[in-house]
Amino acid sequence: MKKFSLNLLTLAVISASVLANNDKQYIYTDTNVAQLGTEEAALLKKHEGKFTRPTYQTAVAEYRKDWDKIAENKIPEWIIDAKFGIYTHWGVYSVPAFETNVYHRYMYDKTNPRGIYQYHLENFGKPEDFGYSKFVDMFKAEEYNAKDMLELMIDSGAKFGGLGTVHHDGFLMWDSKISRWNAGNMGPKRDLYGEFVTEARKRNFKVAASFHHARTWDMVHKSIDESSFTAEEKSKLDIYDQQFEDFYPGRNSKTTTIDVFAQQWHDKIIEVIDKYSPDFFFFDGIKRTNQNSPENLVVDALDYYYEHAKAEGKEVVVANKLPGGANFNFPEHIGIPTYEGGRDMPADVGGYFLVDRAISYPWTYVKNKNYNLNANYHIDALMDMVARGGIYLLSLTPMASGAIDPTEEAIFREIGQWLKVNGEAIYDTRRWTIPAEGPISTWKVAKSGKNKQVMRMVWSYNKVKDGEIRFTQKDGQLYAMSLTWPKSGEVLIKSLKDNSEYYPQAINKVSMLGFGEVEFTRTNEGLKIKLPAKKPSAIFNHGMSFKIN
């Protein structure tokens, strides 16, 4: 497939700061920023100076050469082509299935405003009688079938995916020799991740691994007011029992100290690489200035991952996540910039990036889950992010048994049905000169922070409007995607007007994917496309794609 070069983009350098005493002169800045359409450029200018752009963590001088080497591993074409992936939030926390995927953090906290302590009392008893560790035996995954889960991901249109290998509670979803708290040894007593990898390799499906483990350190203990428990109650709590300290590592640990935890965290990453060789590695909770994920171990793990891939003759991807709107986990040019939910992502983000989002929040399955983010929401998000150079990563949230809620499964399958019709305008495409035109409903600048002093970008797709268009291209072919089926029965694309600065060449034919050739006129106002009198199917409720010849 012919790839498009950046000369199709208008490139700009917003700002640059060069690290002193660095031979390679790392530039920690937003570069190669794509030109925005008229409406978005005007809105961005209006908010200029009202929000700060996310920054990259700088490399400690001692490890700059190591980061230089890691930075030589560029984002591979396969993930830029893939556009859409699926991973999971599934584990021991899926057993109580209440409120959050960090249930263990709050079930011991009597003052937590989210009601988790009270819920635990009413459903399982006092935490001193029923600690979080007891949920491990209840996590059976008895309905989990790796082949079925893989097929659902493929039917949903995903080109890569996998299980969350470990979340903040520290329970490993693979059969590990490093920690006894793993699915092969406890609970399901099956290598859940390994089973998925085996099935994925049969289908040549790129495998993802997500690692949220760094924040396991002290997560429970830092949230507790120890004075709220009597000495007798504390003596019964598993979080203070030394035989469980390898499951609840933190400030009270005598054996699993922070240095021991950090080394095991590193060794678990290496074990996953050696056993399963994932194509995509997603990290969360890393802060290289903290002892639980120190820079020397981060550098070593990433370098090992890339070298292991080279030995196998393949290219892999590391997600460089932006946590909490502060600094990315790693220096610039390391992996693919990753924005949780699109949070704090500039409208004119440079280069390729990834956005991870839950199918609906919370991140995990909970009883009576409100699926308020429907298929239409995610399809609009996919069109928008792909047009900007993004890859969209959605989280599947299985029940503790491994079964998928029917509502959730229906959402994923609906996304897949839309992609079967419109995938030509999504997969293997690259950014066009501008990503979008029309009304702007998808992003805004909002205040955040304790004193509402920080401005941040927020991306949402709840109220898209007629006239919102997104563009992609491949093999010399332009695609224009409408996020809605306009009530007027016509789609007007102003950026493709007669003698357009973006598209001056003639337009001889316009086809709607999934339908065929449609009538159009081109004037000084724009390219006006006449829609069919009737929608070909319900899939077109989510918007449609036009092939411009």
Side-chain angles (χ1 to χ4, degrees):
M1 188 191 82
K2 180 182 177 183
K3 303 301 181 186
F4 288 85
S5 62
L6 287 176
N7 61 11
L8 290 172
L9 300 172
T10 299
L11 304 181
V13 177
I14 300 301
S15 62
S17 58
V18 182
L19 286 180
N21 303 317
N22 185 345
D23 293 339
K24 189 166 182 175
Q25 292 203 326
Y26 262 121
I27 300 177
Y28 295 87
T29 180
D30 287 312
T31 61
N32 298 340
V33 178
Q35 177 180 333
L36 296 178
T38 304
E39 298 91 347
E40 291 188 335
L43 187 55
L44 190 64
K45 185 175 181 179
K46 177 182 177 182
H47 287 295
E48 189 174 3
K50 292 184 179 179
F51 66 93
T52 56
R53 289 176 176 270
T55 57
Y56 290 89
Q57 291 192 26
T58 57
V60 173
E62 182 181 353
Y63 300 105
R64 283 182 187 152
K65 288 184 179 179
D66 300 291
W67 285 119
D68 286 349
K69 179 187 175 187
I70 294 170
E72 292 173 359
N73 298 280
K74 304 305 179 186
I75 302 168
E77 296 286 329
W78 72 256
I79 196 167
I80 301 172
D81 288 343
K83 304 303 184 192
F84 182 43
I86 298 173
Y87 71 140
T88 67
H89 278 70
W90 177 43
V92 175
Y93 47 84
S94 305
V95 177
F98 181 74
E99 188 68 22
T100 177
N101 56 358
V102 287
Y103 184 94
H104 71 301
R105 177 179 180 179
Y106 299 116
M107 61 166 278
Y108 300 92
D109 182 6
K110 295 182 179 182
T111 62
N112 181 259
R114 300 166 76 174
I116 296 171
Y117 178 84
Q118 188 63 35
Y119 175 84
H120 193 82
L121 282 180
E122 294 171 359
N123 290 273
F124 304 103
K126 295 180 179 180
E128 53 263 40
D129 298 325
F130 194 106
Y132 185 78
S133 57
K134 287 194 174 183
F135 284 126
V136 172
D137 289 336
M138 298 170 68
F139 178 53
K140 297 295 186 183
E142 65 273 16
E143 295 184 71
Y144 169 65
N145 182 295
K147 183 177 179 180
D148 290 346
M149 187 171 288
L150 172 66
E151 292 296 336
L152 175 58
M153 291 184 184
I154 292 173
D155 289 348
S156 302
K159 299 299 184 182
F160 68 102
L163 306 187
T165 52
V166 54
H167 214 275
H168 302 319
D169 64 357
F171 187 79
L172 313 182
M173 298 291 278
W174 75 93
D175 188 8
S176 174
K177 293 182 179 179
I178 298 170
S179 169
R180 62 186 174 125
W181 298 96
N182 72 78
N185 182 55
M186 297 180 178
K189 295 188 177 178
R190 296 164 57 188
D191 187 349
L192 302 178
Y193 184 68
E195 291 175 19
F196 181 91
V197 173
T198 298
E199 294 299 327
R201 298 301 184 204
K202 293 177 185 177
R203 297 292 300 273
N204 197 28
F205 186 79
K206 297 289 188 181
V207 175
S210 64
F211 223 79
H212 308 253
H213 191 25
R215 289 173 61 191
T216 302
W217 173 262
D218 210 37
M219 177 167 272
V220 173
H221 298 285
K222 71 180 179 182
S223 301
I224 298 173
D225 178 3
E226 296 188 1
S227 65
S228 65
F229 292 99
T230 66
E232 183 180 356
E233 288 172 336
K234 285 182 67 175
S235 69
K236 296 179 180 179
L237 288 170
D238 59 349
I239 58 173
Y240 294 114
D241 189 333
Q242 192 169 355
Q243 69 172 317
F244 293 109
E245 75 165 36
D246 56 339
F247 194 43
Y248 305 111
R251 61 191 66 183
N252 299 305
S253 299
K254 294 181 175 60
T255 303
T256 310
T257 63
I258 193 166
D259 291 335
V260 170
F261 171 84
Q263 188 62 54
Q264 290 179 351
W265 169 82
H266 165 276
D267 294 348
K268 290 168 188 173
I269 296 170
I270 303 303
E271 185 178 53
V272 168
I273 295 168
D274 285 340
K275 289 189 72 171
Y276 309 109
S277 189
D279 302 285
F280 172 82
F281 226 127
F282 180 101
F283 292 99
D284 187 21
I286 292 176
K287 190 172 183 180
R288 300 177 348 262
T289 55
N290 289 349
Q291 282 182 271
N292 61 332
S293 52
E295 187 143 3
N296 65 312
L297 295 181
V298 173
V299 165
D300 186 80
L302 295 188
D303 182 63
Y304 186 88
Y305 181 44
Y306 282 116
E307 290 303 311
H308 185 276
K310 289 175 184 175
E312 292 193 328
K314 69 177 189 178
E315 294 180 300
V316 295
V317 189
V318 169
N320 189 351
K321 188 172 179 180
L322 178 71
N327 296 324
F328 287 93
N329 285 161
F330 314 126
E332 194 175 13
H333 310 305
I334 305 298
I336 186 166
T338 298
Y339 302 86
E340 183 176 309
R343 162 181 82 193
D344 303 312
M345 186 184 82
D348 53 349
V349 62
Y352 294 102
F353 62 93
L354 184 142
V355 168
D356 64 308
R357 180 178 275 123
I359 188 69
S360 277
Y361 294 94
W363 280 100
T364 183
Y365 173 77
V366 293
K367 296 179 179 72
N368 302 312
K369 183 164 181 168
N370 179 12
Y371 288 97
N372 56 332
L373 303 183
N374 57 23
N376 192 70
Y377 183 99
H378 294 298
I379 290 168
D380 287 341
L382 180 63
M383 284 190 275
D384 185 54
M385 292 301 164
V386 168
R388 299 178 192 282
I391 293 94
Y392 197 49
L393 180 64
L394 267 184
S395 178
L396 184 68
T397 62
M399 303 177 193
S401 67
I404 310 299
D405 185 285
T407 301
E408 182 163 333
E409 181 175 346
I411 291 172
F412 275 106
R413 292 195 183 280
E414 198 167 349
I415 295 170
Q417 290 165 7
W418 186 88
L419 280 167
K420 284 180 181 178
V421 173
N422 296 273
E424 181 182 339
I426 297 291
Y427 301 123
D428 305 327
T429 60
R430 297 295 183 266
R431 296 179 298 191
W432 191 50
T433 311
I434 58 173
E437 73 159 63
I440 303 170
S441 66
T442 54
W443 67 274
K444 62 182 179 179
V445 177
K447 292 182 179 181
S448 66
K450 291 183 179 179
N451 300 315
K452 303 296 181 185
Q453 78 280 18
V454 179
M455 305 297 289
R456 62 186 295 188
M457 295 290 292
V458 178
W459 294 80
S460 178
Y461 304 89
N462 286 315
K463 297 178 180 179
V464 296
K465 301 174 182 177
D466 288 351
E468 292 199 56
I469 307 294
R470 300 296 182 268
F471 301 100
T472 59
Q473 62 172 333
K474 68 179 173 186
D475 297 330
Q477 177 65 61
L478 175 64
Y479 297 90
M481 298 177 287
S482 173
L483 273 59
T484 68
W485 184 287
K487 300 179 182 67
S488 64
E490 292 181 330
V491 172
L492 178 66
I493 307 177
K494 296 178 180 179
S495 302
L496 300 181
K497 66 184 179 180
D498 204 16
N499 297 316
S500 165
E501 63 180 298
Y502 306 118
Y503 199 90
Q505 58 266 50
I507 295 176
N508 301 311
K509 179 181 176 182
V510 177
S511 300
M512 187 166 74
L513 300 186
F515 177 77
E517 196 169 342
V518 290
E519 296 179 26
F520 70 94
T521 56
R522 193 182 193 190
T523 68
N524 290 331
E525 184 183 7
L527 178 67
K528 187 176 290 185
I529 301 171
K530 185 177 181 181
L531 297 175
K534 184 179 179 182
K535 294 176 185 176
S537 72
I539 287 301
F540 289 83
N541 290 328
H542 303 309
M544 72 293 292
S545 307
F546 298 99
K547 189 174 183 177
I548 313 296
N549 293 106

